[in-house]
Amino acid sequence: MSDLSASEIYQSILTTIDAVEPRIAEATRAELADQRSSLKLIASENYASLAVLLTMGTWFSDKYAEGTVGHRFYAGCQNVDTVESVAAEHARELFGAEYAYVQPHSGIDANLTAFWAILANKVETPALAEFGAKNVNELIETDWETLRHRFGDQRLLGMSLDAGGHLTHGFRPNISGKMFHQNSYGTDPETQLLDYDALAAQAREFKPLIIVAGYSAYPRRVNFAKVREIADEVGATLMVDMAHFAGLVAGKVFTGDEDPVPHADVVTTTTHKSLRGPRGGLVLATKEFASDVDRGCPMVLGGPLAHVMAAKAVALAEARQQSFRDYAQRVADNAKSLAEGFLSRGADLITGGTDNHLVLLDVSKYGITGRQAESALLDAGVVTNRNSVPQDPNGAWYTSGVRLGTPALTSRGFGAAEFDRVAELIVEVLRNTQPTATSQGTPSKAKYTLTAGVAERAKSASSELLAAHPLYPGLEL
Ligand SMILES: *Cc1c(COP(=O)(O)O)cnc(C)c1O
């Protein structure tokens, strides 16, 4: 698409919105300006292509299509069938999966779909055979209470939140921590690395139905072949949530033991993080789980978003190109540069570095909390998010860490030198952030002051970097 046509298309779109609700047109323009002018280091965010963004804005949004390809609860779904089939085909071929389900609206929805599919496969189906019932309706008449209790009596083992796991991996306040007996594994207190022997011992003791591997804030690769061995030994189903690192799997940076797809029974992901697609999720599964995963809608999902599935198909087609593999490799290389940039300036990184797309910076040595670091960096035009570190003394709200990822700025064309510069300006801001004293004289965990001039200097340094790597070049509103 030529730049001229992109500008014309978006000007027409905004004029159309403007005529109905000008505040939304204005917010849309402002969002582009904000995204263009900030150093986006949020590890879960990215910039999708204009092809992906435009695909979401069509009349596919108007169509109901509950069910699956060829088996819809609504008439007239032939074009949605095309969209869903193409998206699933790209997902299967890109990841080498036996089966792909592209309906989940988000990563959390993909995980719920997976949990219910595993429960259906491992609890409901055996119970039907045991009770001699052909289907659940027959069981409702006879042994429903037994089955219901069995459903509620299953065990899930996932990575703990403060070691980098996700809320949906069994965190107590999340539904995953309520629907299962839950247990979580952490990292080694010394190395901060995943300890496979400890995980194996815990799995032997706990005997979970499901082991969930995958993370949101762990800066290292996982050996999924080893986790598979552990799952096999204890008879657990292995589910991998690759929401954060799907782009590195798609781009063949993670291969062999580090590629979850050949090792897991079920793999879930978002499509909008390192994979650089529309906001959404998907589930990959072995043939054994396919028909159970297919029950996602209407079991736990609302009707499919056909316009988003269309955009997933476009993004997955992009991810199958060589240019995406090059991008994924740069994401990992850039994370290394960012980490080295921090370490060479004396900063502390959880696990001492990275070999994926993110680093977790421990800000304690600057005498501030993650919350103060996050806010001070925002004042300087750097967008990050605060994050707990293992055994965080400041808890999950204030935290002691900041998580930084390279996918978004790599999409803008940042390379090793730019990421080193980013590390330099972040360290400069953190060194110049001081906690304000509370009325009791203790340091505040939220309020802070920044040495005069530091935010301004960081902003002008980042503006220079951003100007050299424009977002959606040629798109003018
Ligand atoms: C981001 C994330 C999710 C949730 O994705 P949403 O699209 O926000 O629902 C689930 N699991 C992991 C590991 C994640 O990082």
Side-chain angles (χ1 to χ4, degrees):
M1 181 167 54
S2 79
D3 297 336
L4 178 65
S5 70
S7 299
E8 283 171 349
I9 289 164
Y10 277 102
Q11 275 159 13
S12 307
I13 290 171
L14 288 165
T15 307
T16 308
I17 299 171
D18 215 13
V20 183
E21 176 46 286
R23 288 176 294 180
I24 298 302
E26 203 34 56
T28 308
R29 283 193 186 89
E31 181 61 23
L32 178 62
D34 288 355
Q35 295 220 15
R36 280 179 158 165
S37 63
S38 57
L39 271 184
K40 173 145 84 166
L41 287 159
I42 294 185
S44 51
E45 292 189 5
N46 211 328
Y47 303 105
S49 70
L50 292 180
V52 167
L53 297 182
L54 286 169
T55 307
M56 279 187 280
T58 77
W59 26 92
F60 270 123
S61 174
D62 297 331
K63 190 74 196 97
Y64 236 113
E66 256 177 39
T68 51
V69 175
H71 303 274
R72 305 286 185 188
F73 292 88
Y74 290 80
C77 294
Q78 57 281 2
N79 300 312
V80 180
D81 280 357
T82 302
V83 162
E84 185 167 351
S85 309
V86 172
E89 176 194 301
H90 280 311
R92 280 194 313 273
E93 290 182 10
L94 173 63
F95 292 109
E98 289 177 9
Y99 178 75
Y101 183 63
V102 297
Q103 290 192 19
H105 311 325
S106 72
I108 288 185
D109 291 10
N111 285 349
L112 274 178
T113 303
F115 290 146
W116 284 110
I118 296 167
L119 287 170
N121 190 290
K122 297 293 174 192
V123 178
E124 184 176 297
T125 305
L128 293 179
E130 183 186 332
F131 298 130
K134 277 199 290 298
N135 53 45
V136 173
N137 285 337
E138 280 188 10
L139 258 188
I140 288 172
E141 303 293 321
T142 55
D143 285 295
W144 178 245
E145 276 305 300
T146 312
L147 180 60
R148 203 171 72 78
H149 282 103
R150 243 181 239 184
F151 266 128
D153 207 23
Q154 300 301 322
R155 297 172 185 202
L156 177 91
L157 178 60
M159 194 176 201
S160 71
L161 201 60
D162 80 344
H166 189 258
L167 301 170
T168 54
H169 300 176
F171 182 55
R172 188 71 69 207
N174 180 264
I175 189 164
S176 60
K178 298 187 170 87
M179 64 192 258
F180 291 106
H181 294 295
Q182 163 285 350
N183 217 313
S184 51
Y185 56 91
T187 45
D188 182 272
E190 286 298 310
T191 61
Q192 301 172 321
L193 296 170
L194 199 51
D195 178 344
Y196 297 93
D197 293 334
L199 170 56
Q202 205 175 350
R204 277 179 213 121
E205 168 91 25
F206 186 56
K207 297 190 175 49
L209 176 78
I210 305 174
I211 295 179
V212 184
Y215 53 79
S216 302
Y218 179 67
R220 296 290 172 174
R221 302 180 186 194
V222 173
N223 184 324
F224 295 109
K226 275 194 193 167
V227 188
R228 169 87 247 176
E229 268 174 38
I230 297 168
D232 283 344
E233 190 196 323
V234 302
T237 298
L238 176 58
M239 168 174 158
V240 175
D241 179 352
M242 63 171 182
H244 252 262
F245 55 89
L248 299 180
V249 178
K252 313 296 175 210
V253 175
F254 291 2
T255 57
D257 292 352
E258 295 163 356
D259 175 354
V261 181
H263 304 292
D265 298 289
V266 182
V267 176
T268 59
T269 185
T270 59
T271 48
H272 49 274
K273 298 183 182 176
S274 56
L275 195 52
R276 212 164 65 184
R279 299 200 76 79
L282 60 84
V283 181
L284 306 172
T286 57
K287 281 210 177 73
E288 184 192 350
F289 289 90
S291 61
D292 298 304
V293 170
D294 260 350
R295 290 161 64 191
C297 166
M299 175 83 131
V300 290
L301 299 173
L305 312 176
H307 58 307
V308 180
M309 291 197 294
K312 286 175 190 170
V314 171
L316 291 163
E318 289 176 347
R320 294 183 66 186
Q321 294 169 8
Q322 182 58 42
S323 55
F324 190 86
R325 290 192 185 194
D326 299 341
Y327 162 72
Q329 189 58 54
R330 281 198 304 275
V331 165
D333 294 346
N334 284 339
K336 280 248 175 329
S337 302
L338 183 65
E340 280 157 20
F342 281 127
L343 295 171
S344 69
R345 293 172 179 91
D348 293 332
L349 299 181
I350 298 303
T351 76
T354 178
D355 50 29
N356 56 21
H357 64 293
L358 70 87
V359 302
L360 190 54
L361 181 64
D362 183 337
V363 299
S364 321
K365 71 154 33 154
Y366 306 107
I368 54 177
T369 62
R371 186 178 148 142
Q372 286 161 326
E374 176 193 89
S375 306
L377 288 170
L378 191 62
D379 295 342
V382 184
V383 189
T384 64
N385 65 281
R386 66 184 184 280
N387 211 101
S388 310
V389 301
Q391 289 93 40
D392 201 310
N394 287 319
W397 178 251
Y398 293 110
T399 80
S400 305
V402 175
R403 188 185 66 165
L404 309 149
T406 53
L409 290 177
T410 302
S411 290
R412 283 184 77 145
F414 276 46
E418 286 91 341
F419 274 101
D420 180 66
R421 184 85 178 94
V422 168
E424 183 182 19
L425 66 89
I426 288 175
V427 169
E428 178 73 5
V429 170
L430 298 179
R431 278 187 184 145
N432 283 285
T433 305
Q434 296 88 27
T436 310
T438 62
S439 51
Q440 289 86 39
T442 54
S444 167
K445 285 177 187 266
K447 299 209 173 106
Y448 61 93
T449 52
L450 248 173
T451 310
V454 168
E456 294 66 26
R457 274 206 303 283
K459 264 195 180 145
S460 79
S462 70
S463 305
E464 247 172 65
L465 291 171
L466 293 167
H469 299 284
L471 175 62
Y472 307 125
L475 172 59
E476 282 166 35
L477 298 183

